[in-house]
Amino acid sequence: MAVTMAKSEVLIPFSALNGPRDAMGRPLRDLRISVMDRCNFRCPYCMPREKYHERYKFLGSHERLSFDEIVRLSRLFVKLGVRKLRLTGGEPLLRTNLSDLIGDLTAIPGVEDVALTTNGVLLARHAAELKAAGLRRITVSLDSLDPHVFARMSGGFGGLADVLDGIEHARSAGLEPIKINAVIQRGLNDHTAIDLVERFRGTGVIVRFIEYMDVGNRNEWRPDLVVPSKELLARISERWPLQPLERDYRGEVAERHAFADGAGEIGFISSVTQPFCGDCSRARLSSDGVIYTCLFATSGKSIRDALRGGASDDELLETIRNLWLMRTDRYSEKRAELRQTASDHRKVEMFYIGG
Ligand SMILES: C[S@@+](CC[C@H](N)C(=O)[O-])C[C@H]1O[C@@H](n2cnc3c(N)ncnc32)[C@H](O)[C@@H]1O
Ligand code: SF4
C-alpha cells in the first residue's frame, strides 16, 4: 500500500492548470535550462572522451544565451505555466557567476522552485554563494563510491573526494534536500549501488537511481546495459525493507520509496522500463537558445535570432505557445518502434540539451 507523506502539493489534475496544452493535453510546468555545453567530466554514457576530445568544438561564449536572455525567456515560460526551473548542462558550475543568474531567476514572480544539477566537483567552492543567491536545494550526480568505478564512470576526470566534499559543503550551506543521481549500468557500477544507499541512508540525502538511457547517439547504448529499477529495488529491499510513497506532484520523474525503519527515502527514475511520457510537462532550452520539447528530440526551435533581432515579448510568447500546442512527443513510450527509424540516429545529445 502506498504511504502518503505530509506534502504541501497534491496531485493536481492537469485539467485544473492554466496555460497551453500540448496535443496530448499536457501542460507546460517545467523548464530545464542548459547554461553550459562544456563539461569537466567525460562520463561515457553522456560525453564519451573519444568523441569529446580536445579538438571538439563547443559553443563560443557569444553563441550561448546571456543571463539577461535566459531571464527574459524564463519570464515568458512562466507566463505560459512554468513553475519550476532547473539549471543544468554540461556542467552548470563552469558558467561564470552562475549565482547571479540564480538570484534573477528566483526573483521572477510565479517561479516556485529553482533547482540545479551538478557533477559536484566545483560545488565546495560555490555552495555558500549559491545558497545566498536564493538556491534552496541541489542535485549532485554521483555514480559510485568506489574510486576506481567512479573514475570509469566520470571518464577519468575529477575526483570522488571533491564530489563528497561538495556534498558536505552543500549540506553546511543548507542546500537541502540534497539529492544524489546515480546512473546505473550493468557490469560497470551496479555492484556498488548498495554502497550508495548504505552511505546516505539516515542522513537526509536522497539517493535516486537512474536507468541508463539511450539519449543522443554517441554513448553506444544497449538495452542489456540497463538495470531495471525493479531489479535494483528488489536487491535493496532485501537488506532494508521499503514502502512505496506517493508522488510529490504530478509529472515527478522519480518513483519514491521510504525505508520502513524511518531512515529516509530513495528514488528510481525508470524512463526505459516504466516510461512517464503521459505526465511529462517539461520543455528544455539549450545553451544557444534552442527549445526542445523532449529529451529524445531530433530537432528543436531556435529562438536566439528572434531574441537578438528585436522580437517583442508577445511575438516570442506566440512562438513558444505554438511550439507547445503542436507537441506530440512520447519517445520513451514508443522507444522500441522509434529505435528502428532512421531519425533515431539524429537525437540531440544530453549535455547540449540539458539533462
Ligand atoms: C547531463 S547531466 C548535466 C548536469 C551535470 N553535469 C551532472 O552530471 O549532474 C544531468 C544528469 O543526466 C544524467 N545522464 C547523462 N547521461 C545519461 C544517460 N545516458 N542515461 C541516464 N542518465 C544520464 C547524469 O547522470 C546527470 O545526473
Ligand atoms: S553526465 Fe554531467 S558530468 Fe557527466 S559528462 Fe554529462 S554533463 Fe558532464
XYZ file of all heavy atoms in Angstrom, residues 264-353:
711
model
N 14.571 7.584 6.050
C 14.534 8.437 4.856
C 13.960 7.730 3.648
O 13.193 6.771 3.779
N 14.350 8.168 2.468
C 13.766 7.608 1.241
C 14.807 7.497 0.135
O 15.875 8.121 0.201
C 12.592 8.482 0.783
C 13.001 9.889 0.350
C 11.826 10.714 -0.180
O 11.015 11.169 0.656
O 11.736 10.904 -1.404
N 14.467 6.706 -0.881
C 15.270 6.626 -2.102
C 14.321 6.750 -3.291
O 13.100 6.674 -3.121
C 16.094 5.313 -2.214
C 15.186 4.091 -2.079
C 17.203 5.272 -1.199
C 15.919 2.779 -2.366
N 14.879 6.959 -4.482
C 14.025 7.127 -5.652
C 14.570 6.361 -6.848
O 15.752 6.009 -6.900
N 13.686 6.113 -7.800
C 14.064 5.401 -9.032
C 13.503 6.171 -10.216
O 12.322 6.517 -10.232
C 13.484 3.980 -9.024
C 14.038 3.126 -7.925
C 13.413 3.093 -6.688
C 15.204 2.396 -8.105
C 13.924 2.333 -5.650
C 15.731 1.632 -7.078
C 15.084 1.597 -5.844
N 14.349 6.438 -11.191
C 13.914 7.123 -12.404
C 14.031 6.109 -13.528
O 15.130 5.713 -13.919
C 14.761 8.400 -12.646
C 14.612 9.333 -11.429
C 14.336 9.095 -13.941
C 15.462 10.577 -11.449
N 12.870 5.656 -14.000
C 12.831 4.452 -14.832
C 12.282 4.764 -16.215
O 11.289 4.175 -16.647
C 11.958 3.389 -14.155
O 12.114 3.428 -12.761
N 12.937 5.687 -16.892
C 12.436 6.134 -18.192
C 12.422 5.007 -19.224
O 11.644 5.039 -20.168
C 13.304 7.298 -18.675
O 13.316 7.387 -20.054
N 13.265 3.979 -19.025
C 13.331 2.906 -20.019
C 12.267 1.837 -19.741
O 11.508 1.477 -20.640
C 14.746 2.274 -20.047
C 14.807 1.144 -21.066
C 15.786 3.335 -20.361
N 12.196 1.369 -18.483
C 11.274 0.252 -18.216
C 9.873 0.706 -17.811
O 8.931 -0.062 -17.904
C 11.826 -0.685 -17.119
O 11.963 0.078 -15.906
C 13.171 -1.266 -17.516
N 9.756 1.945 -17.318
C 8.410 2.451 -16.946
C 8.274 3.897 -17.427
O 8.343 4.823 -16.621
C 8.230 2.411 -15.425
C 8.265 1.003 -14.846
C 8.546 1.035 -13.357
O 7.746 1.556 -12.579
N 9.687 0.502 -12.949
N 8.104 4.079 -18.746
C 8.085 5.437 -19.299
C 6.982 6.306 -18.690
O 5.918 5.796 -18.340
C 7.807 5.213 -20.786
C 7.963 3.774 -21.043
C 7.847 3.049 -19.747
N 7.315 7.605 -18.535
C 6.333 8.503 -17.908
C 5.970 9.663 -18.832
O 5.720 10.772 -18.387
C 6.864 9.012 -16.560
C 8.368 9.209 -16.509
C 8.966 10.317 -17.099
C 9.186 8.271 -15.880
C 10.339 10.494 -17.058
C 10.567 8.437 -15.844
C 11.145 9.552 -16.428
N 5.953 9.397 -20.144
C 5.650 10.458 -21.120
C 4.283 11.093 -20.876
O 4.092 12.293 -21.097
C 5.662 9.896 -22.534
S 7.194 9.098 -22.987
N 3.314 10.295 -20.435
C 1.951 10.789 -20.281
C 1.855 11.972 -19.333
O 0.945 12.795 -19.434
N 2.798 12.054 -18.389
C 2.782 13.132 -17.394
C 3.866 14.163 -17.652
O 4.132 15.003 -16.798
C 3.024 12.535 -15.996
C 1.719 12.097 -15.356
O 0.653 12.378 -15.927
O 1.779 11.475 -14.284
N 4.539 14.100 -18.803
C 5.726 14.955 -18.993
C 5.323 16.385 -19.352
O 4.725 16.635 -20.392
C 6.636 14.375 -20.067
S 8.080 15.423 -20.324
N 5.698 17.307 -18.489
C 5.327 18.719 -18.676
C 6.582 19.585 -18.786
O 6.586 20.734 -18.395
C 4.469 19.167 -17.488
O 5.140 18.881 -16.273
N 7.677 18.992 -19.338
C 8.974 19.678 -19.393
C 9.341 20.169 -20.787
O 9.208 19.430 -21.763
C 10.101 18.709 -18.986
C 10.412 18.682 -17.524
C 11.446 17.622 -17.217
N 10.965 16.290 -17.559
C 10.088 15.622 -16.852
N 9.596 16.130 -15.748
N 9.672 14.429 -17.234
N 9.839 21.404 -20.826
C 10.493 21.891 -22.040
C 11.967 22.080 -21.689
O 12.333 22.178 -20.508
C 9.881 23.208 -22.477
N 12.808 22.129 -22.712
C 14.251 22.291 -22.492
C 14.784 23.397 -23.373
O 14.364 23.543 -24.522
C 14.975 20.978 -22.816
C 14.627 19.882 -21.844
C 15.003 18.516 -22.375
N 14.377 17.503 -21.538
C 14.895 16.999 -20.424
N 16.104 17.346 -20.050
N 14.244 16.124 -19.699
N 15.717 24.155 -22.804
C 16.320 25.269 -23.526
C 17.820 25.016 -23.577
O 18.474 24.925 -22.530
C 16.018 26.571 -22.763
C 16.590 27.863 -23.318
C 16.014 28.187 -24.700
C 16.282 29.026 -22.345
N 18.364 24.878 -24.780
C 19.804 24.619 -24.895
C 20.568 25.910 -24.629
O 19.999 27.009 -24.652
C 20.136 24.092 -26.290
O 20.042 25.152 -27.213
N 21.882 25.781 -24.407
C 22.661 26.982 -24.043
C 22.739 27.977 -25.189
O 23.035 29.151 -24.971
C 24.050 26.602 -23.534
O 24.516 25.465 -24.169
N 22.468 27.550 -26.441
C 22.449 28.519 -27.540
C 21.019 28.866 -27.969
O 20.799 29.327 -29.097
C 23.290 28.027 -28.725
C 22.805 26.685 -29.267
O 22.009 26.016 -28.584
O 23.223 26.313 -30.376
N 20.060 28.617 -27.087
C 18.720 29.151 -27.330
C 17.835 28.333 -28.245
O 16.995 28.890 -28.939
N 17.999 27.002 -28.230
C 17.075 26.156 -28.990
C 16.104 25.509 -27.986
O 16.543 24.983 -26.958
C 17.829 25.068 -29.801
C 16.836 24.261 -30.650
C 18.885 25.697 -30.678
N 14.825 25.581 -28.304
C 13.818 24.989 -27.418
C 13.510 23.577 -27.917
O 13.245 23.372 -29.106
C 12.528 25.829 -27.394
C 12.838 27.240 -26.899
C 11.458 25.179 -26.519
C 11.671 28.206 -27.026
N 13.562 22.617 -26.986
C 13.225 21.226 -27.306
C 12.061 20.801 -26.417
O 11.995 21.199 -25.254
C 14.417 20.300 -27.040
C 15.575 20.540 -27.987
C 16.601 21.405 -27.637
C 15.645 19.905 -29.220
C 17.668 21.637 -28.504
C 16.688 20.120 -30.086
C 17.706 20.988 -29.729
O 18.751 21.214 -30.589
N 11.179 19.990 -26.955
C 10.028 19.570 -26.159
C 10.160 18.125 -25.670
O 9.235 17.588 -25.063
C 8.722 19.736 -26.967
O 8.861 19.036 -28.216
C 8.433 21.205 -27.253
N 11.334 17.513 -25.911
C 11.552 16.146 -25.407
C 13.050 15.903 -25.288
O 13.829 16.378 -26.108
C 10.933 15.125 -26.372
S 11.199 13.400 -25.897
N 13.428 15.123 -24.263
C 14.847 14.784 -24.064
C 15.390 13.974 -25.240
O 16.582 13.962 -25.517
C 14.962 13.974 -22.765
C 16.317 13.437 -22.342
C 17.339 14.558 -22.206
C 16.200 12.701 -21.014
N 14.503 13.269 -25.933
C 14.930 12.396 -27.033
C 14.635 13.021 -28.396
O 14.562 12.313 -29.403
C 14.235 11.036 -26.906
C 14.530 10.350 -25.600
C 13.680 10.503 -24.510
C 15.671 9.583 -25.435
C 13.955 9.899 -23.293
C 15.953 8.972 -24.224
C 15.097 9.132 -23.157
N 14.488 14.353 -28.409
C 14.112 15.033 -29.654
C 15.219 14.936 -30.705
O 16.400 14.783 -30.386
C 13.820 16.503 -29.359
N 14.817 15.029 -31.968
C 15.795 15.065 -33.057
C 15.949 16.492 -33.589
O 16.879 16.783 -34.320
C 15.366 14.144 -34.220
O 14.016 14.451 -34.548
C 15.472 12.690 -33.824
N 15.033 17.372 -33.235
C 15.169 18.767 -33.653
C 14.454 19.674 -32.656
O 13.626 19.219 -31.870
C 14.574 18.975 -35.047
O 13.190 18.696 -34.993
N 14.822 20.952 -32.702
C 14.201 21.925 -31.811
C 13.973 23.211 -32.573
O 14.218 23.295 -33.779
N 13.515 24.221 -31.848
C 13.220 25.504 -32.494
C 14.154 26.565 -31.902
O 14.095 26.855 -30.704
C 11.750 25.852 -32.213
C 11.369 27.262 -32.541
C 10.943 27.378 -33.974
C 10.625 28.819 -34.361
N 10.741 29.053 -35.781
N 15.023 27.132 -32.748
C 15.935 28.157 -32.239
C 15.180 29.462 -32.065
O 14.456 29.899 -32.948
C 17.104 28.365 -33.194
O 17.870 29.455 -32.689
N 15.388 30.073 -30.915
C 14.691 31.321 -30.610
C 15.707 32.460 -30.440
O 15.345 33.611 -30.266
C 13.808 31.105 -29.351
C 12.692 32.130 -29.294
C 14.620 31.051 -28.088
C 11.518 31.723 -28.480
N 17.000 32.122 -30.549
C 18.043 33.113 -30.268
C 18.048 34.267 -31.271
O 18.150 35.431 -30.884
C 19.416 32.430 -30.250
C 20.529 33.330 -29.760
C 21.867 32.672 -29.876
N 22.170 32.344 -31.269
C 23.162 31.566 -31.659
N 23.947 31.019 -30.754
N 23.378 31.321 -32.925
N 17.890 33.935 -32.548
C 17.940 35.013 -33.542
C 16.777 35.976 -33.352
O 16.945 37.194 -33.455
C 17.933 34.444 -34.966
C 19.257 33.748 -35.270
O 20.211 33.932 -34.470
O 19.324 33.007 -36.274
N 15.606 35.428 -33.064
C 14.438 36.295 -32.832
C 14.692 37.170 -31.605
O 14.443 38.377 -31.606
C 13.197 35.439 -32.640
N 15.230 36.537 -30.574
C 15.538 37.236 -29.316
C 16.504 38.394 -29.561
O 16.328 39.500 -29.059
C 16.174 36.207 -28.386
C 16.232 36.395 -26.897
C 14.848 36.528 -26.316
C 16.909 35.154 -26.280
N 17.532 38.106 -30.373
C 18.562 39.127 -30.621
C 18.173 40.075 -31.751
O 18.801 41.109 -31.937
C 19.905 38.448 -30.934
C 20.428 37.712 -29.708
C 21.794 37.099 -29.918
N 22.204 36.438 -28.675
C 23.276 35.701 -28.535
N 24.083 35.510 -29.566
N 23.573 35.161 -27.378
N 17.121 39.696 -32.499
C 16.738 40.517 -33.650
C 15.617 41.493 -33.332
O 15.021 42.060 -34.244
N 15.282 41.634 -32.049
C 14.305 42.654 -31.662
C 12.873 42.155 -31.560
O 11.946 42.971 -31.511
N 12.651 40.835 -31.502
C 11.267 40.340 -31.371
C 10.663 40.827 -30.054
O 11.359 40.924 -29.038
C 11.263 38.812 -31.411
N 9.361 41.127 -30.080
C 8.692 41.586 -28.855
C 8.378 40.378 -27.974
O 8.380 39.231 -28.441
C 7.394 42.299 -29.217
O 6.485 41.343 -29.744
N 8.056 40.641 -26.712
C 7.673 39.555 -25.807
C 6.467 38.796 -26.368
O 6.410 37.569 -26.297
C 7.315 40.126 -24.430
C 8.571 40.401 -23.602
O 9.694 40.161 -24.115
O 8.427 40.871 -22.458
N 5.512 39.537 -26.932
C 4.314 38.881 -27.462
C 4.666 37.926 -28.603
O 4.111 36.829 -28.713
C 3.301 39.923 -27.957
C 2.558 40.545 -26.772
O 2.657 39.982 -25.663
O 1.911 41.588 -26.969
N 5.597 38.372 -29.450
C 5.997 37.504 -30.573
C 6.698 36.240 -30.056
O 6.435 35.130 -30.524
C 6.914 38.273 -31.527
C 6.161 39.303 -32.362
C 7.075 40.331 -33.038
O 8.262 40.461 -32.648
O 6.598 41.010 -33.945
N 7.573 36.417 -29.076
C 8.284 35.255 -28.535
C 7.299 34.307 -27.841
O 7.376 33.081 -27.995
C 9.369 35.706 -27.556
C 10.532 36.508 -28.169
C 11.438 37.066 -27.075
C 11.350 35.638 -29.131
N 6.363 34.910 -27.107
C 5.357 34.093 -26.411
C 4.565 33.246 -27.398
O 4.304 32.068 -27.164
C 4.365 35.012 -25.698
C 4.621 35.338 -24.234
C 3.559 36.288 -23.708
C 4.642 34.068 -23.382
N 4.207 33.867 -28.516
C 3.424 33.178 -29.539
C 4.218 31.988 -30.089
O 3.669 30.893 -30.281
C 3.105 34.196 -30.656
C 1.766 34.048 -31.336
C 0.645 33.525 -30.456
O 0.486 33.979 -29.301
O -0.059 32.626 -30.937
N 5.522 32.215 -30.336
C 6.371 31.135 -30.862
C 6.405 29.962 -29.879
O 6.231 28.799 -30.262
C 7.817 31.655 -31.079
O 7.754 32.776 -31.936
C 8.721 30.598 -31.662
N 6.618 30.278 -28.605
C 6.742 29.195 -27.616
C 5.383 28.487 -27.446
O 5.308 27.258 -27.399
C 7.241 29.737 -26.255
C 8.572 30.474 -26.422
C 7.399 28.600 -25.257
C 9.025 31.255 -25.201
N 4.334 29.291 -27.375
C 2.991 28.707 -27.208
C 2.689 27.740 -28.356
O 2.262 26.607 -28.127
C 1.929 29.817 -27.157
C 0.519 29.245 -26.968
C -0.582 30.280 -27.007
N -0.682 31.032 -25.762
C -0.379 32.305 -25.626
N 0.037 33.000 -26.673
N -0.494 32.910 -24.470
N 2.951 28.181 -29.587
C 2.643 27.322 -30.743
C 3.462 26.038 -30.723
O 2.964 24.961 -31.061
C 2.890 28.084 -32.053
C 1.795 29.110 -32.272
O 0.691 28.950 -31.759
N 2.100 30.169 -33.015
N 4.704 26.185 -30.303
C 5.569 25.010 -30.216
C 4.961 23.983 -29.256
O 4.937 22.781 -29.522
C 6.927 25.490 -29.682
C 8.149 24.689 -30.001
C 8.330 24.595 -31.505
C 9.378 25.361 -29.372
N 4.497 24.503 -28.113
C 3.915 23.601 -27.107
C 2.604 22.995 -27.606
O 2.345 21.800 -27.422
C 3.721 24.324 -25.770
C 3.461 23.337 -24.682
C 2.256 22.999 -24.138
C 4.437 22.492 -24.057
N 2.414 22.003 -23.205
C 3.740 21.678 -23.125
C 5.814 22.346 -24.173
C 4.388 20.733 -22.329
C 6.463 21.402 -23.384
C 5.745 20.605 -22.474
N 1.775 23.803 -28.254
C 0.471 23.307 -28.727
C 0.652 22.142 -29.709
O -0.166 21.234 -29.766
C -0.318 24.441 -29.412
C -0.841 25.551 -28.488
C -1.448 26.691 -29.298
C -1.882 25.002 -27.506
N 1.756 22.194 -30.466
C 1.970 21.160 -31.500
C 2.691 19.918 -30.965
O 2.924 18.963 -31.682
C 2.798 21.746 -32.645
C 2.025 22.769 -33.478
S 2.972 23.384 -34.879
C 4.580 23.627 -34.237
N 3.077 19.958 -29.703
C 3.925 18.888 -29.149
C 3.198 17.533 -29.094
O 2.110 17.424 -28.528
C 4.349 19.290 -27.741
C 5.173 18.268 -26.986
C 5.362 18.806 -25.585
N 6.338 18.113 -24.798
C 6.050 17.515 -23.634
N 4.827 17.521 -23.154
N 7.017 16.923 -22.952
N 3.845 16.520 -29.670
C 3.255 15.173 -29.629
C 4.234 14.146 -29.043
O 3.929 12.962 -29.010
C 2.896 14.692 -31.062
O 4.078 14.792 -31.868
C 1.785 15.504 -31.689
N 5.414 14.603 -28.564
C 6.483 13.670 -28.161
C 6.049 12.647 -27.116
O 5.430 13.002 -26.120
C 7.648 14.453 -27.538
C 8.112 15.593 -28.400
O 8.989 15.377 -29.226
O 7.575 16.711 -28.236
N 6.407 11.411 -27.362
C 6.330 10.374 -26.316
C 7.307 9.251 -26.665
O 6.959 8.094 -26.777
C 4.914 9.876 -26.064
C 4.112 9.481 -27.265
C 2.644 9.304 -26.879
N 1.915 8.571 -27.890
C 1.675 7.267 -27.852
N 2.074 6.541 -26.850
N 1.020 6.675 -28.826
N 8.570 9.684 -26.786
C 9.625 8.779 -27.231
C 9.722 7.518 -26.358
O 9.790 6.399 -26.873
C 10.982 9.499 -27.246
C 12.108 8.597 -27.669
C 12.460 8.481 -29.012
C 12.802 7.821 -26.737
C 13.476 7.623 -29.406
C 13.813 6.966 -27.129
C 14.150 6.868 -28.456
O 15.149 6.015 -28.840
N 9.773 7.728 -25.036
C 10.034 6.566 -24.168
C 8.941 5.513 -24.287
O 9.209 4.314 -24.199
C 10.186 7.003 -22.709
O 11.399 7.688 -22.567
N 7.711 5.967 -24.491
C 6.615 5.000 -24.618
C 6.696 4.251 -25.945
O 6.186 3.145 -26.071
C 5.271 5.719 -24.506
C 4.963 6.124 -23.072
C 3.666 6.914 -22.930
O 3.010 7.218 -23.946
O 3.331 7.239 -21.788
N 7.318 4.920 -26.942
C 7.371 4.293 -28.276
C 8.794 3.869 -28.639
O 9.113 3.695 -29.808
C 6.847 5.305 -29.311
C 5.383 5.653 -29.122
C 4.988 6.865 -29.910
C 4.729 6.547 -31.357
N 4.387 7.757 -32.126
N 9.648 3.736 -27.617
C 11.070 3.512 -27.853
C 11.341 2.371 -28.845
O 12.080 2.545 -29.821
C 11.758 3.220 -26.519
C 13.219 2.871 -26.633
C 13.890 2.790 -25.282
N 14.306 4.083 -24.783
C 13.753 4.723 -23.758
N 12.738 4.192 -23.111
N 14.201 5.896 -23.383
N 10.719 1.215 -28.598
C 11.026 0.044 -29.418
C 10.777 0.348 -30.891
O 11.595 0.038 -31.767
C 10.190 -1.140 -28.958
N 9.654 1.017 -31.148
C 9.274 1.334 -32.527
C 10.199 2.408 -33.111
O 10.723 2.266 -34.217
C 7.829 1.839 -32.440
C 7.141 2.229 -33.686
C 5.825 2.955 -33.311
O 5.164 2.560 -32.317
O 5.514 3.910 -34.006
N 10.452 3.468 -32.328
C 11.211 4.597 -32.872
C 12.693 4.270 -33.076
O 13.351 4.845 -33.936
C 11.067 5.827 -31.960
C 9.669 6.441 -31.961
C 9.564 7.583 -30.942
C 9.325 6.985 -33.350
N 13.225 3.330 -32.293
C 14.640 2.982 -32.461
C 14.911 2.323 -33.807
O 16.051 2.256 -34.255
C 15.120 2.079 -31.306
C 15.403 2.889 -30.048
C 16.042 2.047 -28.972
N 17.366 1.567 -29.334
C 18.484 2.293 -29.263
N 18.424 3.545 -28.871
N 19.650 1.784 -29.594
N 13.833 1.839 -34.454
C 14.004 1.215 -35.776
C 14.065 2.259 -36.890
O 14.391 1.940 -38.014
C 12.820 0.273 -36.089
C 12.477 -0.744 -35.021
C 13.651 -1.624 -34.679
O 14.424 -1.993 -35.557
N 13.823 -1.927 -33.399
N 13.717 3.524 -36.570
C 13.610 4.526 -37.627
C 14.950 5.229 -37.851
O 15.790 5.291 -36.940
C 12.548 5.600 -37.279
O 13.000 6.293 -36.108
C 11.193 4.977 -37.005
N 15.122 5.798 -39.066
C 16.384 6.461 -39.411
C 16.612 7.681 -38.533
O 17.744 7.979 -38.139
C 16.341 6.873 -40.881
N 15.529 8.381 -38.151
C 15.689 9.623 -37.393
C 16.232 9.360 -35.991
O 16.741 10.260 -35.338
C 14.363 10.379 -37.314
O 13.465 9.653 -36.514
N 16.144 8.119 -35.511
C 16.625 7.813 -34.165
C 18.110 8.163 -34.021
O 18.586 8.488 -32.945
C 16.408 6.334 -33.846
C 16.594 6.047 -32.365
O 15.736 6.480 -31.586
O 17.608 5.439 -32.006
N 18.833 8.108 -35.123
C 20.270 8.388 -35.068
C 20.573 9.876 -35.061
O 21.715 10.284 -35.069
C 20.976 7.713 -36.252
C 20.702 6.242 -36.290
N 21.181 5.391 -35.333
C 19.959 5.497 -37.127
C 20.749 4.172 -35.591
N 20.000 4.206 -36.669
N 19.525 10.703 -35.080
C 19.750 12.152 -35.069
C 19.317 12.792 -33.755
O 19.147 13.999 -33.681
C 18.992 12.799 -36.241
C 19.497 12.343 -37.614
C 19.036 13.299 -38.700
N 17.585 13.415 -38.758
C 16.806 12.633 -39.515
N 17.338 11.705 -40.282
N 15.507 12.799 -39.515
N 19.152 11.989 -32.704
C 18.719 12.552 -31.426
C 19.773 13.524 -30.901
O 20.971 13.299 -31.061
C 18.496 11.439 -30.394
C 17.328 10.535 -30.735
C 16.969 9.632 -29.579
C 18.101 8.799 -29.075
N 18.146 7.411 -29.355
N 19.331 14.603 -30.238
C 20.295 15.572 -29.702
C 20.978 14.976 -28.474
O 20.424 14.100 -27.799
C 19.628 16.915 -29.318
C 19.274 17.711 -30.553
C 18.438 16.704 -28.430
N 22.173 15.467 -28.193
C 22.943 14.924 -27.074
C 22.505 15.576 -25.755
O 22.150 16.752 -25.714
C 24.441 15.147 -27.307
C 24.979 14.437 -28.532
C 24.857 12.908 -28.472
O 25.049 12.336 -27.382
O 24.582 12.293 -29.517
N 22.596 14.820 -24.675
C 22.056 15.277 -23.394
C 22.836 16.449 -22.802
O 22.260 17.344 -22.202
C 22.042 14.125 -22.408
C 21.171 14.379 -21.194
S 21.094 12.875 -20.244
C 19.821 13.219 -19.074
N 24.156 16.448 -22.959
C 24.939 17.542 -22.360
C 24.577 18.877 -23.006
O 24.714 19.936 -22.408
C 26.443 17.294 -22.514
C 26.944 17.455 -23.930
C 27.392 18.691 -24.383
C 26.928 16.392 -24.805
C 27.833 18.850 -25.689
C 27.363 16.547 -26.120
C 27.805 17.763 -26.549
N 24.099 18.815 -24.276
C 23.768 20.022 -25.021
C 22.349 20.506 -24.687
O 22.098 21.685 -24.437
C 23.918 19.724 -26.521
C 23.259 20.745 -27.418
C 23.794 22.037 -27.526
C 22.110 20.431 -28.128
C 23.165 22.974 -28.343
C 21.497 21.355 -28.936
C 22.026 22.630 -29.043
O 21.410 23.565 -29.819
N 21.437 19.564 -24.651
C 20.021 19.897 -24.431
C 19.741 20.154 -22.947
O 18.783 20.803 -22.575
C 19.157 18.734 -24.968
C 17.688 19.106 -25.117
C 19.275 17.519 -24.121
C 16.873 17.985 -25.740
